[in-house]
Amino acid sequence: MVSGSGGKARVAVLASGTGTNLAALLRDAETPDAPYAVALVLGNRQDAGALHKGRGAGVPTVAVERTSWGSRAAQQAEMLRLLQEHEVDLVVLAGFDQILSVDIVDAFPDRIVNIHPSLLPAFAGSLHAIAEALAYGVKVTGCTVHLVTADLDAGPIILQEATPVRDDDTLETLSARIHALEHLTLPRAVRLLATRRVKIDGRHVLLLAAPSPSAAAGP
Ligand code: GRF
């Protein structure tokens, strides 16, 4: 990949909420060795914290609200237009609370990832996966970064990180640990995709090793 933005992959982040995962990506993208740049932030709520974070970082940031566009189809057609206008290579769903249109999914084959706060397939499709895991009594939970396909939360898994559930965990303590894991895992996954180190074989994703510096330097 590694195409636009000074040889870096151009990443769009779609978010509806607070935007702590967006903030983690913005931080990571600022490090000199980052193989990607956040080129666009799209939201579907004007007042979302994520949009404030995008604007604060000086990234082109647009709210495409469904109510302003009349229908989900028109809203998502506008989102697709913006993704194409900004020459985006990768799309990251970081707490985006709408299902993407087939047109968007088809426009970025194996180039859209989502982060979900559970070990998928557990608690797939849930907007309250952490609370549900706690209520269910699972002993281990975590987060998953997966490719987005037509099936909700069911695309091939790129990375998962786990945390034990403690007897005294509350929604707050468990959420804090999972979010801390997310903020490490999502940038890692984006780096892997940006450097084409993700090989997809059906449901299976192979993560390729980074080329060694000596190999890159050549003879
Ligand atoms: C995260 O827990 C993510 O897994 C889920 O939505 C949440 C977004 O949090 N899909 P934030 O807005 O990035 O803080």
Side-chain angles (χ1 to χ4, degrees), residues 65-149:
E65 294 188 309
R66 183 175 172 159
T67 45
S68 316
W69 286 87
S71 69
R72 173 177 170 271
Q75 174 213 16
Q76 296 221 5
E78 171 63 6
M79 287 169 47
L80 178 54
R81 192 192 68 73
L82 287 164
L83 293 170
Q84 288 169 337
E85 179 182 282
H86 287 264
E87 299 181 331
V88 160
D89 299 305
L90 296 172
V91 178
V92 177
L93 307 187
F96 188 67
D97 63 5
Q98 281 185 274
I99 294 174
L100 291 187
S101 68
V102 174
D103 286 350
I104 296 181
V105 174
D106 286 352
F108 296 93
D110 296 335
R111 297 280 135 209
I112 308 179
V113 291
N114 178 48
I115 181 140
H116 190 74
S118 73
L119 295 176
L120 289 172
F123 309 107
S126 173
L127 287 177
H128 307 284
I130 303 175
E132 285 183 23
L134 200 55
Y136 196 92
V138 299
K139 298 292 188 191
V140 179
T141 184
C143 67
T144 303
V145 180
H146 64 92
L147 291 164
V148 170
T149 60

Side-chain angles (χ1 to χ4, degrees), residues 28-207:
D28 185 52
E30 281 304 306
T31 59
D33 69 331
Y36 68 95
V38 179
L40 177 66
V41 173
L42 284 185
N44 54 355
R45 276 181 235 298
Q46 195 65 255
D47 58 352
L51 298 192
H52 294 295
K53 289 182 172 73
R55 291 192 188 102
V59 173
T61 297
V62 187
V64 187
E65 294 188 309
R66 183 175 172 159
T67 45
S68 316
W69 286 87
S71 69
R72 173 177 170 271
Q75 174 213 16
Q76 296 221 5
E78 171 63 6
M79 287 169 47
L80 178 54
R81 192 192 68 73
L82 287 164
L83 293 170
Q84 288 169 337
E85 179 182 282
H86 287 264
E87 299 181 331
V88 160
D89 299 305
L90 296 172
V91 178
V92 177
L93 307 187
F96 188 67
D97 63 5
Q98 281 185 274
I99 294 174
L100 291 187
S101 68
V102 174
D103 286 350
I104 296 181
V105 174
D106 286 352
F108 296 93
D110 296 335
R111 297 280 135 209
I112 308 179
V113 291
N114 178 48
I115 181 140
H116 190 74
S118 73
L119 295 176
L120 289 172
F123 309 107
S126 173
L127 287 177
H128 307 284
I130 303 175
E132 285 183 23
L134 200 55
Y136 196 92
V138 299
K139 298 292 188 191
V140 179
T141 184
C143 67
T144 303
V145 180
H146 64 92
L147 291 164
V148 170
T149 60
D151 299 320
L152 183 62
D153 291 339
I157 290 169
I158 299 175
L159 291 174
Q160 287 188 306
E161 292 293 339
T163 178
V165 179
R166 299 179 190 144
D167 293 343
D168 61 352
D169 260 330
T170 62
L171 182 57
E172 287 68 36
T173 59
L174 185 57
S175 297
R177 281 208 309 291
I178 290 180
H179 289 144
L181 282 182
E182 289 186 330
H183 301 160
L184 297 174
T185 310
L186 186 57
R188 264 182 66 209
V190 174
R191 281 179 178 241
L192 288 166
L193 280 160
T195 52
R196 296 186 179 279
R197 287 162 56 207
V198 171
K199 188 163 174 260
I200 299 145
D201 179 14
R203 279 219 54 84
H204 297 263
V205 172
L206 299 179
L207 303 179

